[in-house]
Amino acid sequence: MTGGFDEATVTAGREQSFRRPARSARAAVDAYGSHGGTRLALGAAVAAGILIAAQLVHAISIAPYFPPGPGPWPAWIGLAAVLVAGVSAVAALSQRVPDWLFAALVVALAVPVALDVAATAGLLHVGVTPTAAAAAAMVLMPVAALRGTIAPLAASSVLAAVLAAEALLQLPTAGRNVVLGLAVAGVALLPVALTVITVRGFRRLARREVDLSLVQSTVATPRSAVGMRASEELAQLDFDAESLLEDVGAGRVAIPLPPEKAELAGQLAARLRVRLIEGRTDTWLRHAVAESAYLSGRVEVTDPNGLAGKLAPSQREGLLFALWLIVGERSRRDSARATVLVGQVDGLVGSGAGFADTVTGSDDPYADLAIAIAISGLALRHLDAAMWDAVESVGTHRTTSNAEHLRVDILCRTDQPPRPMTSTRERGARTRET
């Protein structure tokens, strides 16, 4: 490919590092935290209430088999007190469960668990199993949706291990009824584990969709517009410069400037010059990659002349979506990396050896922009079919691959509307016709 993709250009592009802006990260966390937290916790609380009620019915049914005494009710009274206090605390904290509240909840739940285990010890041979202890684990279900999932799962695992140990200790006297005790231990762990799986999946989906929505906002920006990262840096530069000028104007800093203030002024001027120079080539593509939690660090953009800004909004969306499908799925493609090279197409018109002549199935002498996507850590057969539809909306493409690398070269027309995205079936039919 022509268009200045030499070693110096690639090195220059790699020297510029980008980080995701704090505003973008906070917006993504707030969005998926609210959707995957409060509303999901409500469903988990309803399911937990049903399971706790079932355990209470079971406690009533086995109460006659307890020896004379209070039976299982002290544990249930303690569990009810913990539930009331926990719900009140979460409501007072605007449906949040900070670390200190979770620790207090776990310690408080240990009381009814201990009372229930002590009340049912040695009674497994008559079919008496812990009920309040199993119900205590259900309390952790909505907690897993309101905070991190690791701690609730670990707490329920410890509780299940205690119940399993109690059942196994009664093996000589309980015999086959040990299976009932182990089943109670499983009942204490399984609902929390299923809740954790559900919450993690929902949060992953919400995080991806919110991140993609935030990144897609760069598609409609002007060619030379700054992104969130640049606007934050410019705002900080403006504040620092205004503070220095205000100190000088108020007489708090004498003129000529002291050495430390002079050094600060020089640093501000240098940062402003760098920001202005970078702003000429910081296109929507750089901002989209920098502001995405999924693309940042996995996609490298080399566009020294800021030519990606010439793409139409539909072409930008297609290119962004293609990159998203290549490296966006962390769970299956942790090793996938992509390098995007953007440059001019040289010698297309009237040249028999131009890049356009080598594109499979097309000879496009009107293309004026070339984009190369170099992919590593991902085989050709693992690419989603929708990725090719997205690439076709950008321009005419050609694919080359070997054992280690995959490269997609795209020819783009920036002065004419791009072709609409076509389905896989239509592309297959067009290939058969040719």
Side-chain angles (χ1 to χ4, degrees):
M1 176 183 292
T2 58
F5 294 152
D6 54 5
E7 183 178 356
T9 299
V10 175
T11 303
R14 290 179 179 174
E15 288 176 354
Q16 291 185 350
S17 60
F18 290 83
R19 60 176 176 83
R20 194 181 194 198
R23 272 191 297 167
S24 175
R26 285 196 302 269
V29 171
D30 293 342
Y32 87 78
S34 60
H35 289 287
T38 304
R39 297 183 181 180
L40 197 58
L42 179 60
V46 172
I50 295 174
L51 295 175
I52 291 174
Q55 291 293 330
L56 179 59
V57 171
H58 182 56
I60 295 174
S61 65
I62 64 175
Y65 298 97
F66 278 82
W73 308 125
W76 275 100
I77 293 173
L79 180 60
V82 173
L83 277 174
V84 172
V87 170
S88 302
V90 171
L93 293 173
S94 300
Q95 298 179 337
R96 294 180 55 195
V97 183
D99 293 339
W100 65 266
L101 180 57
F102 177 76
L105 179 63
V106 171
V107 173
L109 287 176
V111 175
V113 170
L115 292 175
D116 199 27
V117 169
T120 58
L123 300 177
L124 190 55
H125 65 283
V126 295
V128 174
T129 58
T131 54
M138 315 304 177
V139 178
L140 299 174
M141 292 172 60
V143 174
L146 293 174
R147 56 168 289 122
T149 56
I150 297 178
L153 183 60
S156 63
S157 300
V158 172
L159 195 155
V162 171
L163 297 180
E166 183 200 17
L168 293 175
L169 289 176
Q170 300 181 61
L171 180 60
T173 59
R176 296 179 179 178
N177 284 345
V178 171
V179 177
L180 294 176
L182 295 177
V184 171
V187 168
L189 178 60
L190 185 59
V192 180
L194 292 178
T195 302
V196 167
I197 294 174
T198 303
V199 170
R200 286 180 178 177
F202 190 87
R203 286 178 177 174
R204 187 183 304 113
L205 175 63
R207 181 165 54 245
R208 283 174 54 84
E209 292 302 321
V210 169
D211 193 87
L212 180 57
S213 298
L214 290 172
V215 173
Q216 282 181 328
S217 64
T218 62
V219 170
T221 58
R223 176 175 179 177
S224 59
V226 297
M228 286 192 233
R229 168 184 173 270
S231 62
E232 287 182 353
E233 291 184 357
L234 289 174
Q236 184 62 42
L237 280 172
D238 180 68
F239 175 78
D240 294 341
E242 284 189 359
S243 299
L244 180 59
L245 292 175
E246 183 180 356
D247 290 341
V248 173
R252 291 189 293 269
V253 176
I255 296 179
L257 295 178
E260 64 276 6
K261 293 297 181 180
E263 183 179 0
L264 175 60
Q267 292 176 356
L268 291 176
R271 288 168 56 191
L272 183 58
R273 285 193 297 269
V274 170
R275 182 65 259 170
L276 292 176
I277 294 173
E278 290 181 351
R280 298 177 182 177
T281 59
D282 279 1
T283 63
W284 67 273
L285 184 57
R286 287 185 181 273
H287 301 314
V289 171
E291 293 166 12
S292 171
Y294 290 87
L295 301 182
S296 180
R298 311 183 73 191
V299 175
E300 181 182 335
V301 178
T302 301
D303 185 11
N305 299 318
L307 298 176
K310 298 172 62 177
L311 295 175
S314 57
Q315 291 175 305
R316 297 180 182 184
E317 186 174 3
L319 179 59
L320 179 61
F321 191 55
L323 294 175
W324 193 270
L325 292 175
I326 292 172
V327 302
E329 181 55 58
R330 289 183 181 272
S331 61
R332 293 186 292 108
R333 301 173 182 175
D334 287 339
S335 59
R337 296 291 186 273
T339 301
V340 183
L341 310 175
V342 184
Q344 295 281 2
V345 177
D346 298 333
L348 287 180
V349 180
S351 173
F355 175 73
D357 299 328
T358 65
V359 178
T360 303
S362 177
D363 185 357
D364 191 353
Y366 299 102
D368 59 348
L369 188 64
I371 300 176
I373 305 177
I375 307 168
S376 61
L378 191 65
L380 179 62
R381 64 181 182 274
H382 293 156
L383 290 175
D384 198 308
M387 193 277 291
W388 301 113
D389 294 336
V391 169
E392 283 194 355
S393 69
V394 182
T396 307
H397 71 279
R398 176 193 63 182
T399 304
T400 57
S401 62
N402 54 36
E404 299 180 354
H405 299 284
L406 173 65
R407 176 165 172 152
V408 181
D409 296 320
I410 310 172
L411 281 176
C412 309
R413 298 187 189 185
T414 59
D415 56 345
Q416 296 183 13
R419 296 170 314 203
M421 297 176 67
T422 58
S423 64
T424 306
R425 180 178 301 177
E426 293 174 349
R427 288 191 289 106
R430 188 168 59 248
T431 303
R432 287 193 295 271
E433 291 176 0
T434 58

